[in-house]
Short mmCIF file of all heavy atoms in Angstrom, two decimals:
data_model
loop_
_atom_site.label_atom_id
_atom_site.label_comp_id
_atom_site.label_asym_id
_atom_site.label_seq_id
_atom_site.Cartn_x
_atom_site.Cartn_y
_atom_site.Cartn_z
N ARG A 79 231.17 39.78 13.89
CA ARG A 79 232.59 39.48 14.38
C ARG A 79 233.70 39.86 13.45
O ARG A 79 234.70 40.39 13.73
CB ARG A 79 232.54 38.05 14.63
CG ARG A 79 233.93 37.45 15.20
CD ARG A 79 233.98 36.01 15.30
NE ARG A 79 233.78 35.20 14.03
CZ ARG A 79 232.96 34.27 13.91
NH1 ARG A 79 232.25 33.89 14.92
NH2 ARG A 79 232.99 33.64 12.82
N GLN A 83 236.68 45.53 14.77
CA GLN A 83 238.26 45.49 14.90
C GLN A 83 238.62 45.30 16.40
O GLN A 83 239.82 45.32 16.77
CB GLN A 83 238.87 46.78 14.25
CG GLN A 83 238.49 46.90 12.80
CD GLN A 83 239.11 45.68 11.97
OE1 GLN A 83 240.25 45.51 11.95
NE2 GLN A 83 238.13 44.99 11.37
N PHE A 84 237.73 45.54 17.32
CA PHE A 84 238.01 45.61 18.70
C PHE A 84 237.58 44.40 19.50
O PHE A 84 237.65 44.32 20.74
CB PHE A 84 237.45 46.88 19.31
CG PHE A 84 237.97 48.18 18.62
CD1 PHE A 84 237.14 48.79 17.73
CD2 PHE A 84 239.25 48.64 18.77
CE1 PHE A 84 237.58 49.91 16.96
CE2 PHE A 84 239.67 49.71 18.07
CZ PHE A 84 238.88 50.40 17.20
N GLY A 85 237.03 43.44 18.89
CA GLY A 85 236.65 42.25 19.48
C GLY A 85 235.54 42.46 20.38
O GLY A 85 235.31 41.65 21.47
N ALA A 86 234.69 43.35 20.13
CA ALA A 86 233.52 43.81 21.09
C ALA A 86 232.42 42.95 20.88
O ALA A 86 231.52 42.90 21.78
CB ALA A 86 233.21 45.27 20.98
N VAL A 87 232.34 42.26 19.70
CA VAL A 87 231.14 41.35 19.40
C VAL A 87 231.63 40.21 18.75
O VAL A 87 232.54 40.17 17.90
CB VAL A 87 230.07 42.20 18.69
CG1 VAL A 87 230.61 42.84 17.36
CG2 VAL A 87 228.92 41.26 18.25
N THR A 88 231.13 38.99 19.19
CA THR A 88 231.44 37.81 18.53
C THR A 88 230.18 36.83 18.59
O THR A 88 229.19 37.21 19.12
CB THR A 88 232.68 37.09 19.19
OG1 THR A 88 233.00 36.03 18.58
CG2 THR A 88 232.20 36.79 20.78
N VAL A 89 230.26 35.77 17.88
CA VAL A 89 229.22 34.81 17.92
C VAL A 89 229.85 33.51 18.58
O VAL A 89 230.72 33.04 18.06
CB VAL A 89 228.63 34.60 16.55
CG1 VAL A 89 227.52 33.58 16.49
CG2 VAL A 89 228.30 35.81 15.86
N MET A 90 229.16 33.12 19.59
CA MET A 90 229.39 31.89 20.30
C MET A 90 228.29 30.93 20.23
O MET A 90 227.19 31.28 20.78
CB MET A 90 229.81 32.25 21.76
CG MET A 90 231.13 32.78 21.88
SD MET A 90 232.42 31.46 21.69
CE MET A 90 233.91 32.46 21.85
N ALA A 91 228.48 29.72 19.74
CA ALA A 91 227.54 28.65 19.70
C ALA A 91 226.17 29.14 19.18
O ALA A 91 225.08 28.93 19.79
CB ALA A 91 227.29 28.17 21.21
N LYS A 93 225.05 32.24 19.16
CA LYS A 93 224.39 33.40 19.82
C LYS A 93 225.45 34.50 19.78
O LYS A 93 226.59 34.44 20.05
CB LYS A 93 224.14 33.01 21.37
CG LYS A 93 222.87 32.19 21.50
CD LYS A 93 222.48 32.31 22.93
CE LYS A 93 221.44 31.28 23.29
NZ LYS A 93 222.02 30.01 23.47
N LEU A 95 227.44 37.67 21.13
CA LEU A 95 227.97 37.95 22.46
C LEU A 95 228.51 39.37 22.40
O LEU A 95 229.40 39.59 21.56
CB LEU A 95 228.98 36.87 22.90
CG LEU A 95 229.33 36.63 24.34
CD1 LEU A 95 228.01 36.39 25.13
CD2 LEU A 95 230.40 35.65 24.37
N VAL A 96 228.18 40.24 23.26
CA VAL A 96 228.66 41.60 23.21
C VAL A 96 229.42 41.97 24.42
O VAL A 96 229.03 41.64 25.57
CB VAL A 96 227.53 42.57 23.05
CG1 VAL A 96 227.99 44.07 23.11
CG2 VAL A 96 226.64 42.51 21.74
N PHE A 97 230.62 42.64 24.22
CA PHE A 97 231.44 43.00 25.34
C PHE A 97 231.36 44.51 25.39
O PHE A 97 232.21 45.15 24.70
CB PHE A 97 233.00 42.48 25.26
CG PHE A 97 232.90 40.98 25.31
CD1 PHE A 97 232.81 40.25 24.18
CD2 PHE A 97 233.09 40.41 26.57
CE1 PHE A 97 232.83 38.85 24.31
CE2 PHE A 97 233.04 39.03 26.60
CZ PHE A 97 232.95 38.18 25.49
N GLU A 99 232.18 47.06 27.18
CA GLU A 99 233.31 47.81 27.54
C GLU A 99 234.39 48.07 26.50
O GLU A 99 235.16 48.91 26.38
CB GLU A 99 233.93 47.49 28.90
CG GLU A 99 234.72 46.20 28.75
CD GLU A 99 233.76 44.89 29.17
OE1 GLU A 99 232.61 45.03 28.72
OE2 GLU A 99 234.22 43.88 29.56
N MET A 100 234.32 47.13 25.51
CA MET A 100 235.34 47.16 24.42
C MET A 100 234.82 47.81 23.21
O MET A 100 235.52 48.06 22.22
CB MET A 100 235.71 45.70 23.94
CG MET A 100 236.29 45.06 25.21
SD MET A 100 236.62 43.25 24.79
CE MET A 100 238.14 43.51 23.73
N HIS A 102 233.61 50.68 20.58
CA HIS A 102 233.96 52.00 20.31
C HIS A 102 232.70 52.83 19.73
O HIS A 102 232.85 54.00 19.38
CB HIS A 102 235.06 52.14 19.34
CG HIS A 102 236.46 51.81 19.96
ND1 HIS A 102 237.70 52.47 19.80
CD2 HIS A 102 236.72 50.86 20.86
CE1 HIS A 102 238.57 52.02 20.47
NE2 HIS A 102 238.11 50.86 21.20
N MET B 48 247.15 40.72 19.02
CA MET B 48 245.92 41.64 19.05
C MET B 48 245.93 42.63 20.30
O MET B 48 246.39 42.22 21.35
CB MET B 48 244.61 40.67 19.26
CG MET B 48 244.13 39.98 17.99
SD MET B 48 242.85 38.85 18.34
CE MET B 48 241.41 40.03 18.50
N HIS B 50 243.33 44.13 21.50
CA HIS B 50 242.14 43.77 22.31
C HIS B 50 241.55 42.55 21.90
O HIS B 50 241.61 42.14 20.89
CB HIS B 50 241.03 44.97 22.17
CG HIS B 50 241.50 46.29 22.23
ND1 HIS B 50 241.76 46.99 23.38
CD2 HIS B 50 241.99 47.13 21.21
CE1 HIS B 50 242.20 48.18 23.14
NE2 HIS B 50 242.37 48.30 21.81
N GLY B 51 240.84 41.90 22.84
CA GLY B 51 239.91 40.78 22.51
C GLY B 51 240.63 39.48 22.24
O GLY B 51 240.18 38.61 21.58
N ILE B 54 238.77 36.54 23.80
CA ILE B 54 237.48 36.21 23.29
C ILE B 54 237.82 35.44 21.97
O ILE B 54 237.01 34.47 21.67
CB ILE B 54 236.84 37.61 22.85
CG1 ILE B 54 236.39 38.34 24.19
CG2 ILE B 54 235.49 37.31 22.05
CD1 ILE B 54 236.07 39.85 23.98
N GLU B 55 238.79 35.93 21.10
CA GLU B 55 239.08 35.26 19.87
C GLU B 55 239.67 33.80 20.18
O GLU B 55 239.24 32.91 19.55
CB GLU B 55 240.18 36.03 19.22
CG GLU B 55 240.73 35.51 17.82
CD GLU B 55 239.55 35.36 16.82
OE1 GLU B 55 238.52 36.05 16.94
OE2 GLU B 55 239.81 34.70 15.85
N ALA B 57 238.88 31.98 22.73
CA ALA B 57 237.70 31.17 23.09
C ALA B 57 236.92 30.72 21.95
O ALA B 57 236.39 29.45 21.94
CB ALA B 57 236.76 31.96 24.02
N ARG B 58 236.81 31.55 21.03
CA ARG B 58 235.99 31.12 19.74
C ARG B 58 236.78 30.07 19.07
O ARG B 58 236.22 29.05 18.54
CB ARG B 58 236.00 32.38 18.96
CG ARG B 58 235.01 32.07 17.62
CD ARG B 58 234.98 33.39 16.82
NE ARG B 58 236.11 33.62 16.14
CZ ARG B 58 236.57 33.02 15.09
NH1 ARG B 58 235.96 32.04 14.56
NH2 ARG B 58 237.72 33.45 14.47
N ALA B 61 236.47 26.61 20.88
CA ALA B 61 235.08 26.24 20.79
C ALA B 61 234.83 25.57 19.46
O ALA B 61 234.11 24.58 19.22
CB ALA B 61 234.00 27.31 20.99
N GLU B 62 235.38 26.30 18.38
CA GLU B 62 235.13 25.76 17.14
C GLU B 62 235.99 24.45 16.89
O GLU B 62 235.56 23.67 15.97
CB GLU B 62 235.61 26.79 16.03
CG GLU B 62 234.67 27.88 15.81
CD GLU B 62 235.02 28.88 14.75
OE1 GLU B 62 236.14 28.79 14.22
OE2 GLU B 62 234.22 29.77 14.46
N PRO B 75 238.32 37.75 32.66
CA PRO B 75 236.79 37.78 32.76
C PRO B 75 236.05 37.89 31.52
O PRO B 75 235.03 37.06 31.35
CB PRO B 75 236.53 39.17 33.54
CG PRO B 75 237.76 40.00 33.36
CD PRO B 75 239.02 39.07 33.26
N LYS B 76 236.56 38.48 30.42
CA LYS B 76 235.89 38.48 29.15
C LYS B 76 235.98 37.21 28.45
O LYS B 76 234.98 36.68 27.95
CB LYS B 76 236.47 39.62 28.19
CG LYS B 76 236.11 40.98 28.74
CD LYS B 76 236.27 42.06 27.70
CE LYS B 76 237.73 42.56 27.63
NZ LYS B 76 238.08 43.43 28.70
N ALA B 77 237.15 36.51 28.53
CA ALA B 77 237.29 35.20 27.97
C ALA B 77 236.43 34.24 28.72
O ALA B 77 235.78 33.31 28.10
CB ALA B 77 238.68 34.80 28.08
N SER B 79 233.52 34.82 30.06
CA SER B 79 232.08 34.86 29.67
C SER B 79 231.91 34.31 28.37
O SER B 79 230.88 33.72 28.01
CB SER B 79 231.51 36.15 29.89
OG SER B 79 232.31 37.22 29.32
N ALA B 80 232.88 34.54 27.40
CA ALA B 80 232.87 33.89 26.08
C ALA B 80 232.89 32.37 26.09
O ALA B 80 232.10 31.80 25.51
CB ALA B 80 234.06 34.47 25.19
N LEU B 81 233.72 31.94 26.98
CA LEU B 81 233.82 30.44 27.07
C LEU B 81 232.60 29.79 27.63
O LEU B 81 232.02 28.76 27.27
CB LEU B 81 235.00 30.05 27.98
CG LEU B 81 236.39 30.18 27.38
CD1 LEU B 81 237.53 30.25 28.48
CD2 LEU B 81 236.67 29.14 26.43
N ALA B 83 229.60 31.14 27.41
CA ALA B 83 228.51 31.23 26.31
C ALA B 83 228.69 30.06 25.42
O ALA B 83 227.74 29.63 24.75
CB ALA B 83 228.65 32.57 25.61
N ALA B 84 230.00 29.61 25.18
CA ALA B 84 230.17 28.61 24.27
C ALA B 84 229.97 27.17 24.86
O ALA B 84 230.19 26.15 24.29
CB ALA B 84 231.56 28.65 23.60
#
Side-chain angles (χ1 to χ4, degrees):
Chain A
R79 176 181 68 223
Q83 301 299 300
F84 301 104
V87 53
T88 189
V89 182
M90 280 286 177
K93 283 200 190 74
L95 199 59
V96 174
F97 296 88
E99 67 276 27
M100 299 174 76
H102 289 223
Chain B
M48 284 172 77
H50 312 277
I54 298 165
E55 182 62 18
R58 190 179 67 79
E62 278 182 0
K76 289 195 277 282
S79 52
L81 288 163

